[in-house]
């Protein structure tokens, strides 16, 4: 007769949260293997059974004992709190199972601490979230920190298990410091101790405050995202990214400047100085830092917003006008802004940075595809200064395998990861923030024996003259991709033009736009 091993989840610690399937399994079993505390929760279903109670630390022993009893033909329940598959005993049992195992193994799911603790806080896990155990007994600490970094960057809500023990004091603060690098100090967090047990406590505080607290092994922490909201004693994750709508203190009737470039920030500073309320919208956190530095006083909105969220923001804040000073090659955002402005009846102005005529001898091409074939014709060691999103096109082009590809990208982890994923070898990759002088271009290209450079017509601000001069000094060809031509309804190439437009009566006076 084959035995049966039930891997039974008994929830956070209240009989009412033990699932009926678990009760059935317990009643069916003739032997129970558990840590002592859990026995008190399941008492009604295990009277007169053979009980094996082993200490909390002896996890392997508990799993091995349960399995050996089942192999004798018994019906056994092995117990974990919460969910047995989440930092529980189930994986240990599967590690021990023989390939030809005849024992009937069943896993009974339960309510894990993430869920029980979240329920006491409100609904902080209402959107995407991750869990991380801070116990390094079975996992090397550097992996835990690395995962914390990835989760922090992904802006996922985070549930921390095994937060702090007598032997592990520092880890939690190291993880909180990582989180504080990526999330505002005022991010909402929850501390739940002994959820659904007798002396349960729940507390809400900020991420910065957590940094000064002490915890124990009966505690679970829930770390919010920058969207997590508080309503009275409850925390919740707004559903969907219309959560952007509820950006605090977003000024109404402001001029919205879409930038993310150096000249865009300089322009934004002038607009702020003109006295009109301004919102600066940028795509990245780096862009936000720069915007705050160069145009203090403006409200900065950062992130890759979808069209729906952007519409909601412009509409709700009653945007007075939109100045599109995005990068000349960022056509998708410009198209989106023109579409939204026309739909919402918001005046739109394109600020296009000046484009000087290109010197003779430069290989001008209309698009990236042509640039790829032109570069392959002209060089063998090709330097790409196009921007990270164009790299795959070059590395997948027809002659790519016969060439050596080099690239310079923005120094953020995403760009570096994308460049490597596109096939740029790490020895051929430079990740650095511009601007670059002619000398630094020359030094880099000489060291790498570059024989062809590809770049975009991003104007003086984009460092084009320094690239052309460096290539000329080294006697190597430059392929320049022309700016894509969009049909802008209104356009200017200087700050004075933007300010004059903002002063025009239909924008500077009371808002003409109401929803
Ligand atoms: N299998 C369990 C987790 C075991 S790891 C589950 O799914 O919930 C042990 C950690 O879980 C504890 O250190 C604590 O962080 C968390 N935990 C378990 N039960 C809890 C409870 N009732 N209240 C708060 N945290 C709890």
């Amino acid at each position: 007769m084959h035995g049966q091993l039930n891997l039974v989840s008994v929830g956070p610690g209240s009989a009412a949260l033990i699932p009926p399937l678990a009760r059935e399994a317990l009643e069916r079993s003739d032997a129970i293997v558990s840590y002592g505390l859990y026995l008190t929760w399941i008492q009604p279903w295990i009277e007169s059974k053979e009980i094996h109670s082993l200490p909390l630390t002896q996890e392997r022993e508990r799993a091995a004992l349960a399995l050996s009893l089942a192999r004798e033909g018994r019906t056994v329940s092995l117990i974990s709190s919460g969910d047995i598959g989440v930092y529980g005993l189930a994986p240990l049992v599967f590690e021990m199972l023989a390939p030809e195992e005849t024992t009937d193994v069943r896993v009974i799911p339960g309510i894990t601490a993430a869920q029980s603790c979240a329920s006491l806080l409100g609904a902080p896990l209402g959107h995407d979230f991750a869990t991380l155990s801070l116990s390094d007994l079975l996992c090397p600490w550097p992996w835990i920190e690395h995962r914390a970094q990835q989760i922090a960057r992904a802006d996922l809500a985070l549930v921390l298990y095994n937060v702090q023990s007598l032997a592990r004091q520092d880890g939690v603060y190291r993880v909180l410091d990582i989180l504080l690098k990526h999330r505002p100090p005022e991010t909402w967090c929850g501390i739940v101790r002994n959820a659904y047990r007798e002396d349960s406590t729940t507390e809400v505080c900020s991420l910065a405050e957590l940094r000064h607290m002490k915890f124990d092994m009966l505690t679970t922490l829930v770390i919010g995202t920058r969207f997590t909201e508080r309503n009275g004693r409850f925390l919740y994750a707004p559903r969907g990214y219309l959560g952007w709508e509820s950006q605090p203190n977003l000024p109404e009737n402001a001029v919205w400047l879409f930038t993310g470039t150096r000249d865009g920030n300089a322009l934004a500073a002038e607009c702020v100085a003109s006295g009109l309320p301004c919102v600066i919208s940028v795509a990245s956190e780096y862009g936000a830092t720069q915007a705050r530095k160069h145009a203090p006083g403006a409200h900065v909105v950062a992130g890759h917003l979808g069209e729906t969220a952007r519409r909601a923001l412009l509409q709700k804040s009653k945007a007075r006008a939109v100045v599109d000073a995005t990068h000349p090659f960022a056509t998708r955002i410009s198209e989106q802004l023109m579409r939204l402005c026309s739909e919402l009846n918001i005046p739109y102005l394109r600020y296009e940075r000046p484009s000087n005529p290109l010197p003779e001898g430069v290989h001008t091409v209309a698009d990236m595809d042509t640039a790829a074939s032109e570069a392959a014709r002209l060089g063998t060691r090709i330097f790409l200064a196009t921007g990270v999103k164009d790299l795959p096109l070059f590395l997948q082009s027809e002659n790519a395998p016969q060439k050596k590809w080099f690239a310079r990208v923005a120094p953020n982890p995403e760009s570096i990861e994308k460049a490597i994923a596109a096939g740029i070898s790490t020895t051929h990759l430079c990740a650095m923030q511009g601007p670059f002088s002619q000398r630094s271009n020359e030094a880099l290209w000489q060291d790498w024996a570059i024989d062809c450079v590809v770049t975009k017509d991003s104007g003086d601000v984009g460092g084009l003259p320094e690239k052309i001069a460096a290539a000329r000094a080294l006697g190597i060809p430059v392929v320049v991709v022309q700016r894509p031509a969009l049909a802008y309804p209104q356009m200017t190439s200087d700050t004075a033009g933007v300010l004059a437009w903002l002063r025009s009566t239909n924008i500077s006076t009371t808002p003409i736009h109401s929803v």
Side-chain angles (χ1 to χ4, degrees):
M1 207 194 106
H2 298 310
Q4 190 182 81
L5 177 53
N6 297 291
L7 305 180
V8 180
S9 310
V10 295
S14 150
L17 288 180
I18 298 177
L21 271 185
R23 298 175 185 196
E24 282 169 29
L26 294 172
E27 279 166 350
R28 206 170 50 236
S29 299
D30 46 63
I32 309 289
V33 180
S34 174
Y35 161 60
L37 171 70
Y38 310 154
L39 292 172
T40 58
W41 310 342
I42 57 176
Q43 200 54 48
W45 302 285
I46 58 167
E47 269 156 24
S48 76
K49 308 209 184 245
E50 179 182 314
I51 312 279
H52 299 266
S53 161
L54 277 74
L56 199 52
T57 46
Q58 294 182 17
E59 295 203 311
R60 263 175 210 287
E61 289 79 355
R62 271 182 278 153
L65 173 64
L67 187 56
S68 73
L69 290 170
R71 281 176 178 159
E72 287 167 16
R74 319 272 305 270
T75 300
V76 184
S77 280
L78 175 65
I79 315 294
S80 264
S81 72
D83 185 293
I84 195 162
V86 181
Y87 312 121
L89 296 177
L92 281 177
V93 170
F94 289 114
E95 278 173 18
M96 292 173 188
L97 284 188
E100 69 284 4
E101 189 76 48
T102 53
T103 312
D104 174 15
V105 179
R106 303 180 183 186
V107 186
I108 290 141
I111 297 170
T112 185
Q115 294 162 288
S116 55
C117 296
S119 74
L120 294 173
L121 291 164
L125 307 181
H127 217 289
D128 305 328
F129 70 95
T131 70
L132 187 69
S133 164
L134 300 192
S135 166
D136 58 356
L137 289 178
L138 300 168
C139 178
W141 178 258
W143 296 13
I144 297 175
E145 255 185 45
H146 181 70
R147 287 174 190 176
Q149 244 142 12
Q150 307 288 333
I151 294 165
R153 269 173 40 201
D155 205 25
L156 294 168
L158 172 59
V159 186
L160 295 176
Y161 285 68
N162 297 314
V163 178
Q164 201 173 33
S165 71
L166 283 178
R168 292 183 296 104
Q169 291 286 308
D170 291 351
V172 62
Y173 304 116
R174 297 176 67 141
V175 165
L176 291 173
D177 285 342
I178 292 171
L179 290 160
L180 276 163
K181 281 202 191 112
H182 297 270
R183 300 185 189 185
E186 57 274 12
T187 304
W188 289 118
C189 297
I191 310 163
V192 182
R193 199 171 172 277
N194 271 337
Y196 295 94
R197 299 183 195 175
E198 233 164 43
D199 47 354
S200 170
T201 60
T202 304
E203 193 181 336
V204 167
C205 67
S206 73
L207 183 54
E209 284 167 335
L210 271 189
R211 187 65 186 71
H212 304 288
M213 295 182 179
K214 282 204 156 268
F215 314 98
D216 61 19
M217 283 298 278
L218 302 170
T219 303
T220 294
L221 300 182
V222 178
I223 316 284
T225 66
R226 60 206 153 105
F227 302 111
T228 304
E229 304 253 9
R230 182 181 186 164
N231 187 348
R233 67 184 176 89
F234 294 117
L235 295 186
Y236 66 97
R239 281 290 304 275
Y241 292 104
L242 287 181
W244 286 94
E245 257 184 299
S246 54
Q247 288 239 351
N249 315 321
L250 192 60
E252 290 201 347
N253 298 312
V255 173
W256 279 65
L257 291 127
F258 291 81
T259 72
T261 58
R262 266 187 302 147
D263 54 337
N265 286 337
L267 176 70
E270 297 272 354
C271 295
V272 172
S274 79
L276 282 174
C278 289
V279 174
I280 303 179
S281 179
V282 293
S284 67
E285 279 306 321
Y286 174 77
T289 316
Q290 292 301 102
R292 283 189 193 104
K293 186 165 132 202
H294 294 290
H299 187 100
V300 177
V301 172
H304 288 278
L305 297 193
E307 186 154 344
T308 312
R310 184 144 10 237
R311 177 186 295 106
L313 270 188
L314 290 172
Q315 207 164 23
K316 184 138 190 235
S317 71
K318 303 188 171 64
R320 173 199 295 256
V322 163
V323 177
D324 172 11
T326 57
H327 192 275
F329 284 81
T331 50
R332 287 238 309 265
I333 173 73
S334 290
E335 280 162 354
Q336 185 196 91
L337 291 175
M338 284 192 275
R339 213 165 33 238
L340 286 176
C341 286
S342 123
E343 175 194 323
L344 300 173
N345 209 12
I346 303 172
Y348 167 98
L349 176 70
R350 169 67 180 167
Y351 164 80
E352 179 82 21
R353 64 168 69 150
S355 160
N356 296 323
L358 296 172
E360 271 187 31
V362 162
H363 301 261
T364 311
V365 294
D367 52 46
M368 289 292 165
D369 283 310
T370 323
S373 49
E374 189 68 354
R377 188 178 70 77
L378 292 166
T380 54
R381 297 174 68 83
I382 303 163
F383 181 87
L384 301 172
T386 51
V388 73
K389 78 176 186 354
D390 301 308
L391 297 181
L393 190 146
F394 288 89
L395 279 106
Q396 285 158 25
S397 64
E398 203 185 325
N399 299 309
Q402 290 95 53
K403 309 289 173 186
K404 296 255 183 294
W405 299 96
F406 299 78
R408 188 163 58 202
V409 301
N412 60 65
E414 291 83 9
S415 296
I416 296 168
E417 273 164 21
K418 277 188 196 159
I420 293 169
I424 302 283
S425 133
T426 48
T427 53
H428 292 184
L429 182 62
C430 170
M432 200 171 161
Q433 193 66 52
F436 301 99
S437 66
Q438 176 183 338
R439 267 180 42 209
S440 76
N441 287 332
E442 270 183 53
L444 183 66
W445 298 344
Q446 203 159 27
D447 283 354
W448 277 348
I450 297 300
D451 59 10
C452 177
V453 170
V454 185
T455 186
K456 301 195 276 204
D457 177 14
S458 44
D460 291 2
V461 187
L464 185 62
E466 289 79 4
K467 284 179 222 157
I468 293 177
R472 185 154 284 176
L474 296 173
I476 56 180
V478 190
V479 178
V480 179
V481 184
Q482 284 173 326
R483 292 187 190 182
L486 292 188
Y488 299 113
Q490 287 189 87
M491 186 170 95
T492 178
S493 280
D494 56 35
T495 308
V498 175
L499 294 176
W501 184 74
L502 289 180
R503 275 194 301 269
S504 64
T505 43
N506 63 334
I507 292 166
S508 59
T509 53
T510 38
I512 41 106
H513 165 71
S514 59
V515 187

